[in-house]
Amino acid sequence: MTHLRRVTAVAMLALGVVPVTGVFPVAAAAKPATPDVVRPSANPVKLQSAPRPLSVTYTYEGQRRTLNDFLTRTKTNGFLVLDGQKIVSERYVDAGRDTRFQSWSMAKSITSAAVGIALRDGHIRSIDDPVTRYLPELRKSGYNGVSIRNLLRMSSGIEWDERNDVPRVQVAANKGRPVKKIAARQVQGWEPGSAFEYTSMNSFVLARLVSQATGTPYHRYLERKIWQPAGMADTAQIANDGNGDSLGYCCVYATERDFARFGLLYLRMGKANGRQVVPASWIKASTKSSSVNPRYGLHWWLGGEGERDFLAAGFGGQFIYVSPEHNVVVVKSTTSTTPPDQEEALTAFRAVAAEVAKTRR
């Protein structure tokens, strides 16, 4: 039986990797709209089960630590390691292979892929176009004249507090209020392109941009352009606001193996089953440092320190980590509501990737 990972009201307080305090009233947390269904591929990318023991230790903040301790301490429910297309490690706690885990802000990296495909197909002329070229409804908002590029690199200039504004938007979406109207009320607080400010509303606007530019509902575009051609094996679900708009900044429910396939897609420079799904040029651009934050690309976090690795990251410790150097993908899912230490996670994942390469037969 397929499981859907349940999420508490407390867990819904944030959708990125930014710590959040407080709780919204239970009365305000209305029942969310029914998620949209994204159907799988008829030709899934085959992942071969080839388990082998991985003895992983790493040093963080002067302490020697183990992978097992890290996974336990961070309340990990799903953990999967790919050596190319071989599953060398897969473990679950109170979950299983059929569990659909909540992506939280890992969804932002999926939204980025959708933008890149729409750009390739000519639906978007240039990411240096103002977003209002495609969403004229935002011309009276702080998004007026802001480039798509600045939304992608989290430099829109919108006056935004991720701690407090995301919960409010989520509550509104759960109540069936159109998030596009909230986007149209945003104001500009600083010069776009001059700084980095993690802003989930940017990702909602990008998902709506894809929908409007292509004339296709976001979830259906994702199905046709990513989920099926990338060879996903299971149905996914995507949350919406009840008014036809996918949230874009969060809430893709998928299996651990399909999240791994998405990481594999980026490891393979956008190719799956011999087909170019995401343009290789977009993969390169997305995983390259921006001028406003050396550790962030176009909706992807970067490892930095001279390394080429990168990761999608979500609230509570959800990660898709990609190591081109070692040909490894790591996926980690959790129901924890504790803000994750992304630097420790990166250190642990690098140790995993190195161990996979070391033990490769």
Side-chain angles (χ1 to χ4, degrees):
M1 181 178 186
T2 299
H3 303 281
L4 184 63
R5 176 57 57 199
R6 295 184 180 276
V7 183
T8 66
V10 175
M12 297 177 73
L13 288 175
L15 307 167
V17 292
V18 181
V20 173
T21 57
V23 277
F24 54 72
V26 173
K31 183 179 179 181
T34 302
D36 291 312
V37 173
V38 177
R39 294 165 295 195
S41 170
N43 182 29
V45 167
K46 292 183 172 125
L47 301 179
Q48 177 187 351
S49 183
R52 65 177 186 259
L54 298 176
S55 179
V56 179
T57 61
Y58 60 95
T59 300
Y60 184 70
E61 294 185 338
Q63 296 183 353
R64 195 69 175 164
R65 303 182 180 185
T66 68
L67 175 65
N68 288 337
D69 171 68
F70 170 69
L71 296 179
T72 300
R73 182 161 35 87
T74 56
K75 299 179 181 178
T76 301
N77 297 91
F79 185 73
L80 188 150
V81 181
L82 288 183
D83 180 0
Q85 289 183 215
K86 295 179 180 179
I87 301 174
V88 297
S89 181
E90 185 175 27
R91 59 180 86 174
Y92 299 99
V93 176
D94 297 327
R97 291 181 185 175
D98 294 330
T99 301
R100 292 191 186 99
F101 291 94
Q102 159 70 287
S103 70
W104 296 119
S105 281
M106 294 195 307
K108 291 178 169 69
S109 300
I110 298 174
T111 295
S112 174
V115 171
I117 295 168
L119 177 69
R120 177 199 64 194
D121 291 348
H123 298 294
I124 298 172
R125 186 182 67 173
S126 167
I127 62 169
D128 291 314
D129 278 350
V131 68
T132 40
R133 177 185 177 93
Y134 307 90
L135 298 176
E137 73 218 36
L138 298 178
R139 284 177 181 160
K140 293 183 179 180
S141 78
Y143 281 109
N144 187 43
V146 179
S147 70
I148 298 168
R149 184 185 302 276
N150 278 332
L151 270 70
L152 284 162
R153 62 182 182 168
M154 295 297 185
S155 190
S156 64
I158 293 302
E159 193 172 281
W160 184 265
D161 180 353
E162 187 79 2
R163 286 171 172 262
N164 298 310
D165 290 338
V166 173
R168 294 190 187 106
V169 172
Q170 194 69 25
V171 170
N174 287 350
K175 286 184 170 182
R177 295 174 182 168
V179 177
K180 67 180 180 181
K181 291 187 177 180
I182 302 175
R185 293 199 298 267
Q186 299 308 303
V187 299
Q188 194 171 106
W190 43 279
E191 182 66 25
S194 65
F196 175 88
E197 181 68 41
Y198 192 84
T199 303
S200 284
M201 184 57 75
N202 292 345
S203 308
F204 169 81
V205 171
L206 288 169
R208 181 161 168 76
L209 161 69
V210 168
S211 177
Q212 294 302 297
T214 64
T216 307
Y218 177 78
H219 73 281
R220 195 62 65 221
Y221 190 78
L222 190 70
E223 176 184 273
R224 295 172 183 170
K225 294 293 185 174
I226 298 177
W227 216 251
Q228 292 182 347
M232 305 307 184
D234 290 290
T235 298
Q237 296 180 348
I238 302 179
N240 61 75
D241 66 357
N243 296 278
D245 281 316
S246 296
L247 298 183
Y249 55 80
C250 80
C251 310
V252 174
Y253 296 85
T255 66
E256 205 78 340
R257 291 190 176 197
D258 279 343
F259 281 136
R261 286 181 175 93
F262 184 70
L264 183 65
L265 180 68
Y266 270 66
L267 181 66
R268 297 285 186 254
M269 293 304 295
K271 283 189 174 181
N273 284 334
R275 175 180 177 181
Q276 193 73 47
V277 180
V278 181
S281 58
W282 185 256
I283 306 279
K284 291 177 183 177
S286 300
T287 57
K288 180 181 178 181
S289 296
S290 76
S291 60
V292 294
N293 186 346
R295 297 292 295 275
Y296 201 77
L298 303 181
H299 270 38
W300 281 89
W301 293 96
L302 311 181
E305 302 172 350
E307 301 292 335
R308 296 187 299 119
D309 51 356
F310 52 92
L311 61 164
F315 168 69
Q318 327 295 328
F319 294 103
I320 302 172
Y321 169 81
V322 181
S323 172
E325 176 187 359
H326 295 303
N327 196 40
V328 167
V329 172
V330 179
V331 179
K332 177 183 182 295
S333 296
T334 174
T335 54
S336 172
T337 59
T338 302
D341 185 335
Q342 189 161 309
E343 289 304 308
E344 181 178 6
L346 177 62
T347 303
F349 297 155
R350 283 177 169 171
V352 170
E355 178 68 10
V356 170
K358 177 183 173 183
T359 58
R360 187 174 291 136
R361 297 181 180 89

